[in-house]
Amino acid sequence: MLYAGIAWSADGYQVEVVDADGARALPPTHWGADRVPELTRWLTGEERHPQGPCAVALESTNGLVDGVFTAAGLEVYRADPWHLGDRPDFGSVPALALAELARTGRDALAPLTAEGGGQTGRDDDYHDGIRRSAPVEAQLTEAGRWFRHGPRDRPEIALTFDDGPDPVHTRQVLDILARYDVVATFFCVGLHVRALPDEVRRIVDAGHGLGNHTWSHPFLPDLTARQFRLQLDRTSEAFDRAVGRVPAVFRPPYGSRTPETLAELLPSGPALALWDVDSWDWARQGPEKITSTVLDHTRPGSLILMHDGGGDRRQSVQALPAIIEGLLARDLAFVHADTLAGLPETL
Ligand SMILES: [Zn+2]
């Protein structure tokens, strides 16, 4: 067995692989987020390195590749802050340190599964953060900058796709939306915006909305206020470079939040857009189940959460036509998430 550590930074992923004795088994490599499918095949040993699959360790601040890796059958472990030394304000600990954790510290790390999702085992921190955030959320709501859905008395909904752009699935989603002539909003992550600017341009050119979904999809309770601020700002900068505008809405990864991080949004910045309809598409229970979950829960004003990136999204793509047809049959109009909440489209 080989042991891989995946680090993230401003320009993609760094990968180190060690053997059972802790010696470097392969040269260090660097991968842009556009090459995650290739990286996955490399880690499974299907492509380029023939030494069998790697057990992978990554940080809780890296929530973009675990779903892809577990779907490919890889053993994946999440390292939480108490397993790690000091982390930089922007980036993770070095890949070699994570590879060493994969080799020697797997019993202490959280094993991730495709069904369990990236925050497995962190329920207490998740709910504690949400509970403590209530006063800040009240302030943001008061300022009109926090919402789960739009007005219930207008026949409008917003379809949203998180964790892209993805080198494969985003284009498939765009093709289906175009076929029905409806718009959606894409909550993109900075790592992918930087690696796939053409896909972001394609989204904008087709008339869809954009949202900020952080740089590396971290579990927010594990970030300092400064680390959160950098996740937000670097992603805004990547959008600005790709399409010349900065989204006016932000969605926290997993819906996780803390008062310390949300306070960064209080004086200015994007509005916080959660959702009231969760498709659970990431759990991959079949396209029919995804469709019925969405159609059973959507009502006027709904903000519907789906995913075009961050994992195997074939079922989301397969479910989409029936979802759109079901919503159109109810005469619901598709609008951007910021429009649904009565916000301007750009900061
Ligand atoms: Zn997400």
Side-chain angles (χ1 to χ4, degrees):
M1 176 65 99
L2 296 175
Y3 305 93
I6 316 283
W8 66 267
S9 71
D11 61 353
Y13 300 107
Q14 292 77 44
V15 182
E16 289 270 12
V17 180
V18 298
D19 63 19
D21 299 321
R24 207 178 238 152
L26 299 164
T29 48
H30 174 270
W31 307 75
D34 54 323
R35 292 172 64 221
V36 168
E38 192 184 344
L39 167 61
T40 309
R41 290 192 295 275
W42 188 79
L43 290 167
T44 59
E46 287 168 47
E47 208 170 87
R48 287 182 33 187
H49 94 77
Q51 299 182 47
C54 299
V56 177
L58 39 77
E59 275 196 18
S60 64
T61 61
N62 179 0
L64 295 169
V65 285
D66 58 281
V68 184
F69 293 167
T70 52
L74 286 163
E75 253 180 71
V76 182
Y77 298 87
R78 188 196 63 232
D80 295 308
W82 53 89
H83 301 119
L84 305 163
D86 280 348
R87 289 174 295 144
D89 280 339
F90 193 68
S92 62
V93 299
L96 200 54
L98 290 163
E100 194 54 20
L101 267 179
R103 184 178 78 91
T104 61
R106 292 193 305 291
D107 289 350
L109 305 183
L112 299 182
T113 62
E115 303 73 38
Q119 56 173 75
T120 299
R122 300 294 304 274
D123 286 1
D124 289 352
D125 291 329
Y126 178 79
H127 291 294
D128 181 59
I130 289 176
R131 186 182 49 74
R132 291 192 302 115
S133 296
V136 187
E137 286 178 10
Q139 285 176 273
L140 284 165
T141 305
E142 177 80 6
R145 297 183 43 234
W146 190 96
F147 62 103
R148 280 181 188 284
H149 58 78
R152 296 297 192 190
D153 58 356
R154 282 211 298 260
E156 292 180 345
I157 55 95
L159 201 51
T160 63
F161 293 91
D162 286 11
D163 302 356
D166 177 273
V168 177
H169 298 117
T170 302
R171 210 166 295 194
Q172 296 170 343
V173 168
L174 289 174
D175 286 347
I176 294 168
L177 295 171
R179 198 192 309 157
Y180 290 96
D181 194 22
V182 295
V183 294
T185 303
F186 291 78
F187 285 85
C188 303
V189 285
L191 264 169
H192 289 212
V193 172
R194 180 189 160 110
L196 294 154
D198 288 347
E199 294 304 305
V200 185
R201 274 175 222 126
R202 208 179 289 270
I203 290 169
V204 169
D205 289 348
H208 303 294
L210 291 174
N212 186 325
H213 197 41
T214 72
W215 185 266
S216 66
H217 209 278
F219 184 57
L220 292 193
D222 291 351
L223 296 191
T224 63
R226 172 159 175 78
Q227 288 169 339
F228 173 69
R229 166 55 58 192
L230 289 169
Q231 288 262 347
L232 208 58
D233 289 351
R234 294 282 170 87
T235 304
S236 292
E237 289 159 21
F239 273 118
D240 198 19
R241 271 196 304 275
V243 290
R245 70 181 203 205
V246 173
V249 283
F250 162 72
R251 177 172 284 163
Y254 316 104
S256 64
R257 47 209 191 264
T258 63
E260 295 77 22
T261 51
L262 289 193
E264 291 293 308
L265 298 171
L266 268 179
S268 65
L272 202 102
L274 291 167
W275 59 86
D276 69 326
V277 177
D278 187 345
S279 68
W280 284 80
D281 59 342
W282 59 269
R284 296 190 300 148
Q285 295 172 322
E288 295 80 13
K289 175 76 178 161
I290 296 168
T291 301
S292 63
T293 299
V294 171
L295 295 181
D296 288 351
H297 293 93
T298 299
R299 35 189 192 132
S302 279
L303 198 49
I304 302 163
L305 168 64
M306 296 186 70
H307 294 84
D308 63 325
D312 177 353
R313 303 309 183 204
R314 281 177 292 181
Q315 291 190 5
S316 313
V317 172
Q318 287 163 3
L320 189 54
I323 289 173
I324 296 172
E325 287 172 24
L327 298 174
L328 287 174
R330 290 190 217 166
D331 289 328
L332 292 167
F334 289 64
V335 299
H336 294 177
D338 30 32
T339 310
L340 190 76
L343 294 163
E345 291 228 358
T346 189
L347 284 180

